[in-house]
Amino acid sequence: MKNTVYGQLFGNPQIYLNGKPIFFAFSKINGLLYYLFVNKTVSRDEIANLLWPNMSEKNAKKNLRNTIYQANKLLGNEYIQSPNKLILVLNDELTIISDVELFKEDSLKYVTVYKDYFLKGFFLKGSEEFELWVVKMRQFFEKEFVNGCYKKIKIDINQGNYLNIEKNVERLIDIDNYDERHYELLMVYYQKIHRHEKVLKVYYTLADILNNELGTKPSSYIRQLFETSLMIINNQLKKKENRFKDTFFGRLDEIKKLESNLNSFYYQKRYDSILIVGEEGVGKKSLLNRVLDNNQQRFYILETQCYEIEQQFNLRAWKKILLELGELINQYNFFDHDYWNTIMRQFFPDMTSFGENDNRVIWSENNIDINVLSQIIVDTLTKYAESNKIIVIFQNIQWLDHLSCQLLMSVMFHLKKKVMFILTLRNDTFISNTNLVSMLRQNNLVTELNLKTLSKIEMTAFITQTNHDRQLKPSEIDQLFFLTEGNFLFLKEYLNLIRSDADLDVMNIKMTDILENRFTHLTTIENSLCEKISYFYNSVAISLLSELMDIPIDKLVQVIDPLIKQSILVEEVIASEVSISFVHNRFSEYFYKKQRNGKRIKTHGLIAKCLEKNNISDKNDCFILSMIASHFREAKMGLKAIDYKLKYLQSYFNFYTDLFPANPIYEQDVIINKDLPAEEFIEIRLQLNELQGTYKSEEEEREYDLLTIRLAVLEGRFFIRNGKYDEALKCLTYVIKTSNEWNKKEFLLEAYKQLIYYNIQIDNVSEMYKYIELALAEATANNNHELIGILMRLKGLYYLMTGKFVLAENCLNDSISLFTLTTAITRKYTLNIAAAYDYLAEIKNIQKKYDQAITLQQKAIDLCDGKVAYSSISVFYINMGIILFAKEDYEEASNYFNKAYDIYETCSSIWKRTQLDVYMALIKVYERDYDAVEVYLISSQKYADRFLYEENGILNFAKAIIKHYLIVDNQKDLTLGGTLEKDECFYYEKALKNLNNNRNRLEIDLLKKLI
């Protein structure tokens, strides 16, 4: 069988030998082969100068000889030959093929081999001439591809070979999105396969590009294709319900309905007037303008805009339309000019000011017959409609006054078969003339188009199409979606802020003005309610609002209901309690920022004290504690703010840093941020420094001192958890000294407990025992039975670490007994009970009683069921994996290790992460998957560097074994990518030095057995 070399030069380049990719030691080999694939023959001088332009001729040719040798050696034959000393050629006696050769032979037949542009991503450092050649070839082949692909698509369309047409046209558009020929092909193709909605989509995409980028419009032929599809869609709508469900940025579905309706109206077929409904900024006007831009030459358009401030002026919204009708009457002599003026004087103060800025009304609704005005409008439009297609547009009909509503209903009713009306309506504000909307619906005078805000996917597409300055990160898109909730108007304004590098947390003047107009109609109490709600990040319970505003709940509900109907507020039930929030988070920002600073400070304090008084903080809810802290901080009550911030951190650490926390959180209760930054401590320190010496009484001074010691306790816990032992010891030494001075036993006990954990981590059993005994003495003196239970478990661990397994089991069983005296205690200390079973399982594993160990370990795992105890369950999974590893059930061990990895993805704990990576690395060693071994070993090193002693013992244990197998397997890279620079004896000695002779018997036995 002949060997075949294939060169893929289009797209990411690659050389294949018999279908398998070949990787050369340096890129100049690839460059030489690519050049030969294209040119077939090349002079030595030319290619040497091309690849090594900065070298002397002698050295360049020397490198060339070596490059040829290396290429032929790896390919296994003389693929590159030199017939004489001057030229190089590819050996025509060997099978050598390339996509470039096929493409040059017949670009039409082999158009599919052009996967992407020539030598994509390939670069030779310091070879400028080579790069110029690459650019030249890219341009040549791209041009050839465009011509060949265009011809092939036309042939395929004519022959009905539709398989790859869409993909090929899209590739042409990617290359040149201004070439109308490509869009024309796609539209013709879609018409051939009866996808007329796709024709519309392509047309509007092209129209937007040409209009925005070049200031032109699509060709008449493309417009003809577009109108043909519109006609077909219109006919389909008559026969059956539209089946088109595809999404299109720019509201294709609504555009399709509007275009079809306009087309029906133009060709004197059945049509409907339209009511476009949506919240402010959703794009009602943009949608209308976009459609009318393509149709305004076919229609005579009368348009008016309604304003809230003009609701008090009767018929003010009709003024612009009446002016235009007057011009039509004068121009075409529909009526006597004096007759028209006489009618107008009945409704407006004087004709001289009609059309200027006179808003006076000299009549009332009671002394005028609106039918007179209706009749002359109907007669005028009827006469003009005999030779013209008329569209009457009223924007924002929610602001129409009562008489204008009557007039509009009358005119629409009499002209429903002669004139098209397009109305827009906001559904997010108070509508005084609800009868108008009801009557329009009841009399079937309109078809409604309801516009929704953009989904996140649609919003991302909009940003991609319009924000060409830079690509936004996913986090920035998430922030924009949070700020705008898919509202077009807000989105455009925020994109403008991004382009000007402005702060997104600040609303610009335009957004503020829009919202101010939105809320001008609110009563004093409604405004006050909205202001109170603006102080809450999410929703607020009605009961809390009632207390804050000192209004009974039943009366407060009467204030809330209209605001819900106006789409200002939204109601939801949270934990069986009715809560209220704003429909749009920008509303909250508006109401909050318009209040005076002094008022804000006072209100924040009121809210904080109200939450505190209601004992909500006793629930130990991290979110509530953080909320109270935030309100106290904004109220300039620094000590109280820090007090609750520390309570928040305490709750956080109980969940995320205590390996076996009391009161474990159940799944439905979790609302904790797992990525709490260490900067929290720095922030609190700065706040304490600012407050130092500012206290006004001895009580405040004592409160300040207690805050400093509480902070030191938490810092000590945090530093131990993250392997920063020097910082931890400074904090805990301060706590012990201060606790003794102030006789604060609760802080003293907490410091002892943290020092026990510290000594566990550094394997200092004597100091560990010392602090256990000190803590037990204090706990016994204070009858703290629950702490005694925890300390008995830790004492059991001490005996385990010192090899006194009988004493260890006794202490662990005593701990379990203390925690199972009552149901309440058992529930509170479930994870401490589970931890005791975990240590009992470890003892059985050390004794090689694997089945008993598995049973005990499973008890520990089962006790975590239904609780979000991430750090605990991850440790239990790892320990179960280690037991199964010791039992040599590597497959099941991997399953448990992978469960632990899944948990590490959801929490910030790194406890036992080194062991996890180490044992996974060893399993991969047994599978001889050294690439995976390297990955796990690098990861384990990263986490071991944050700890001392045992972690380094475990890591060096793994390194010794992995190094041994690398040697046994005769691996080329004995350093495993530089992670194992030393010999196996070095790692062996370091492992034995740091491993615990009792707890790490499995590791020590494996080392001594293997090495």
Side-chain angles (χ1 to χ4, degrees), residues 541-732:
I542 288 182
S543 58
L544 181 57
L545 280 174
S546 173
E547 185 173 352
L548 289 171
M549 298 186 69
D550 194 22
I551 298 175
I553 289 180
D554 56 341
K555 290 187 178 180
L556 185 61
V557 169
Q558 294 174 12
V559 180
I560 291 171
D561 280 346
L563 297 176
I564 292 175
K565 291 176 183 176
Q566 295 171 45
S567 299
I568 295 173
L569 300 180
V570 64
E571 182 181 85
E572 57 184 329
V573 178
I574 301 175
S576 302
E577 189 167 19
V578 179
S579 295
I580 299 296
S581 60
F582 285 109
V583 168
H584 200 295
N585 50 57
R586 295 301 89 189
F587 296 174
S588 178
E589 182 181 347
Y590 166 78
F591 280 106
Y592 183 79
K593 290 189 175 179
K594 78 185 187 76
Q595 299 175 63
R596 291 180 295 102
N597 193 46
K599 183 178 180 180
R600 286 189 213 161
I601 292 172
K602 183 179 178 181
T603 306
H604 276 296
L606 177 66
I607 294 171
K609 290 175 182 177
C610 191
L611 290 171
E612 188 179 40
K613 182 184 70 175
N614 290 336
N615 295 319
I616 295 177
S617 60
D618 288 348
K619 294 181 181 177
N620 206 34
D621 186 321
C622 281
F623 177 74
I624 296 294
L625 294 171
S626 178
M627 184 195 300
I628 296 173
S630 176
H631 284 299
F632 273 128
R633 182 175 64 253
E634 295 298 330
K636 310 301 180 186
M637 301 172 71
L639 292 176
K640 294 291 287 184
I642 295 173
D643 174 30
Y644 276 94
K645 190 68 173 180
L646 291 175
K647 287 178 180 176
Y648 162 58
L649 290 170
Q650 177 83 32
S651 180
Y652 170 86
F653 284 127
N654 285 347
F655 182 73
Y656 275 111
T657 67
D658 264 10
L659 189 53
F660 309 112
N663 280 323
I665 297 174
Y666 289 76
E667 290 185 25
Q668 65 271 23
D669 299 322
V670 178
I671 46 173
I672 298 178
N673 173 15
K674 70 182 181 66
D675 297 319
L676 183 77
E679 286 78 12
E680 295 273 15
F681 292 121
I682 299 172
E683 181 185 338
I684 295 173
R685 282 282 176 202
L686 290 173
Q687 291 171 7
L688 284 171
N689 289 339
E690 290 175 4
L691 292 172
Q692 189 173 19
T694 63
Y695 14 83
K696 300 174 183 178
S697 64
E698 290 185 6
E699 183 181 353
E700 283 192 0
E701 185 175 2
R702 285 195 299 273
E703 185 180 350
Y704 176 89
D705 292 337
L706 283 176
L707 292 176
T708 60
I709 192 171
R710 284 169 59 192
L711 175 61
V713 169
L714 290 173
E715 285 180 318
R717 289 175 66 176
F718 178 78
F719 290 138
I720 288 174
R721 192 68 173 156
N722 289 275
K724 297 179 180 178
Y725 299 129
D726 291 339
E727 293 94 329
L729 290 176
K730 288 178 185 176
C731 292
L732 296 175

Side-chain angles (χ1 to χ4, degrees), residues 356-405:
E356 297 172 13
N357 291 314
D358 196 328
N359 293 322
R360 291 175 292 161
V361 179
I362 62 173
W363 45 269
S364 69
E365 297 180 31
N366 298 323
N367 61 13
I368 196 71
D369 185 1
I370 199 71
N371 291 323
V372 175
L373 186 56
S374 172
Q375 188 61 52
I376 195 169
I377 293 172
V378 169
D379 289 345
T380 302
L381 291 177
T382 299
K383 289 180 179 294
Y384 195 62
E386 291 174 0
S387 58
N388 295 275
K389 293 297 179 181
I390 304 171
I391 297 176
V392 178
I393 299 171
F394 274 77
Q395 297 215 36
N396 289 326
I397 62 169
Q398 72 276 357
W399 303 133
L400 273 178
D401 61 272
H402 181 63
L403 275 177
S404 291
C405 290

Side-chain angles (χ1 to χ4, degrees), residues 906-957:
T906 64
C907 72
S908 57
S909 173
I910 57 170
W911 205 256
K912 298 204 81 163
R913 181 60 189 266
T914 303
Q915 287 93 321
L916 175 59
D917 289 331
V918 157
Y919 276 99
M920 280 301 285
L922 292 180
I923 289 173
K924 294 302 176 183
V925 166
Y926 297 158
E927 295 173 358
R928 297 306 191 267
D929 184 355
Y930 285 108
D931 288 338
V933 172
E934 182 180 354
V935 171
Y936 285 118
L937 197 58
I938 291 171
S939 178
S940 65
Q941 182 71 63
K942 178 178 71 174
Y943 291 103
D945 288 343
R946 298 176 65 173
F947 296 96
L948 300 173
Y949 307 105
E950 185 185 348
E951 298 288 287
N952 285 320
I954 290 289
L955 180 59
N956 283 295
F957 147 73

Side-chain angles (χ1 to χ4, degrees), residues 304-351:
T304 188
Q305 174 82 36
C306 308
Y307 298 97
E308 182 179 15
I309 195 171
E310 294 180 346
Q311 276 186 299
Q312 59 185 304
F313 303 118
N314 286 315
L315 299 178
R316 178 65 174 168
W318 279 91
K319 180 178 179 181
K320 183 179 178 184
I321 289 177
L322 291 172
L323 278 171
E324 293 192 43
L325 289 179
E327 292 176 3
L328 288 178
I329 290 169
N330 288 332
Q331 183 177 352
Y332 295 100
N333 295 314
F334 292 143
F335 304 102
D336 181 75
H337 186 64
D338 291 336
Y339 173 67
W340 170 255
N341 287 339
T342 300
I343 296 296
M344 289 301 103
R345 287 193 185 99
Q346 295 180 47
F347 293 90
F348 298 92
D350 58 77
M351 278 302 296

Side-chain angles (χ1 to χ4, degrees), residues 192 350 962:
K192 287 274 189 180
D350 58 77
I962 293 167

Side-chain angles (χ1 to χ4, degrees), residues 53-301:
N54 299 320
M55 282 190 179
S56 65
E57 181 181 352
K58 180 180 179 182
N59 288 337
K61 288 188 175 181
K62 178 182 177 182
N63 283 348
L64 178 61
R65 288 192 297 274
N66 182 50
T67 301
I68 296 168
Y69 170 76
Q70 293 289 342
N72 287 334
K73 179 182 177 183
L74 198 55
L75 293 173
N77 211 327
E78 296 295 319
Y79 284 90
I80 302 174
Q81 287 188 326
S82 182
N84 55 53
K85 293 183 178 181
L86 299 178
I87 62 171
L88 297 175
V89 297
L90 290 176
N91 191 340
D92 57 8
E93 295 181 1
L94 299 175
T95 306
I96 306 172
I97 309 170
S98 73
D99 52 5
V100 166
E101 183 179 355
L102 296 172
F103 188 73
K104 287 169 70 177
E105 178 185 318
D106 189 342
S107 63
L108 191 62
K109 180 179 178 181
Y110 293 107
V111 69
T112 55
V113 302
Y114 189 89
K115 296 179 179 179
D116 208 331
Y117 61 79
F118 181 71
L119 296 188
K120 180 180 179 181
F122 184 74
F123 174 75
L124 288 183
K125 186 177 180 182
S127 302
E128 186 176 345
E129 290 295 325
F130 186 85
E131 285 304 306
L132 292 174
W133 172 75
V134 169
V135 171
K136 180 181 176 183
M137 288 297 102
R138 281 176 184 166
Q139 293 171 347
F140 169 76
F141 287 123
E142 183 176 88
K143 184 177 179 181
E144 287 295 304
F145 169 73
V146 169
N147 293 334
C149 190
Y150 185 81
K151 291 176 185 176
K152 177 172 173 54
I153 292 168
K154 292 190 73 172
I155 292 170
D156 286 345
I157 290 175
N158 292 331
Q159 295 179 352
N161 299 323
Y162 298 145
L163 184 61
N164 293 309
I165 288 177
E166 193 169 10
K167 183 176 71 174
N168 286 335
V169 176
E170 286 173 352
R171 290 187 66 188
L172 291 178
I173 291 173
D174 284 340
I175 292 172
D176 184 359
N177 67 335
Y178 297 117
D179 193 331
E180 291 186 56
R181 296 182 307 153
H182 305 156
Y183 299 92
E184 180 184 308
L185 282 177
L186 197 54
M187 292 171 76
V188 170
Y189 161 66
Y190 284 140
Q191 284 191 343
K192 287 274 189 180
I193 63 172
H194 310 294
R195 296 296 303 275
H196 297 285
E197 72 283 352
K198 290 277 192 179
V199 175
L200 269 65
K201 177 178 179 178
V202 174
Y203 176 81
Y204 279 113
T205 299
L206 174 62
D208 282 346
I209 291 172
L210 295 180
N211 182 55
N212 295 334
E213 304 293 337
L214 304 177
T216 61
K217 292 183 178 180
S219 68
S220 58
Y221 179 64
I222 287 179
R223 176 70 192 185
Q224 183 182 341
L225 291 172
F226 166 75
E227 290 182 353
T228 301
S229 289
L230 270 180
M231 287 289 293
I232 293 170
I233 287 174
N234 187 49
N235 291 332
Q236 289 173 344
L237 287 173
K238 290 181 181 178
K239 297 176 184 177
K240 58 184 179 179
E241 183 183 353
N242 182 20
R243 292 175 296 172
F244 174 64
K245 303 293 182 183
D246 199 9
T247 58
F248 174 69
F249 173 71
R251 304 196 182 284
L252 174 64
D253 194 46
E254 291 84 356
I255 288 172
K256 182 177 64 178
K257 290 178 182 177
L258 283 171
E259 287 276 9
S260 298
N261 203 45
L262 289 171
N263 223 33
S264 295
F265 176 51
Y266 185 76
Y267 290 107
Q268 300 180 8
K269 298 176 182 179
R270 187 187 178 282
Y271 70 92
D272 296 305
S273 288
I274 301 292
L275 175 63
I276 304 173
V277 183
E279 69 177 51
E280 183 174 22
V282 79
K284 300 184 293 297
K285 187 174 182 180
S286 297
L287 169 67
L288 191 55
N289 288 340
R290 182 175 182 183
V291 173
L292 292 179
D293 277 345
N294 297 307
N295 292 279
Q296 56 188 345
Q297 293 180 353
R298 301 197 293 172
F299 301 101
Y300 180 76
I301 298 173

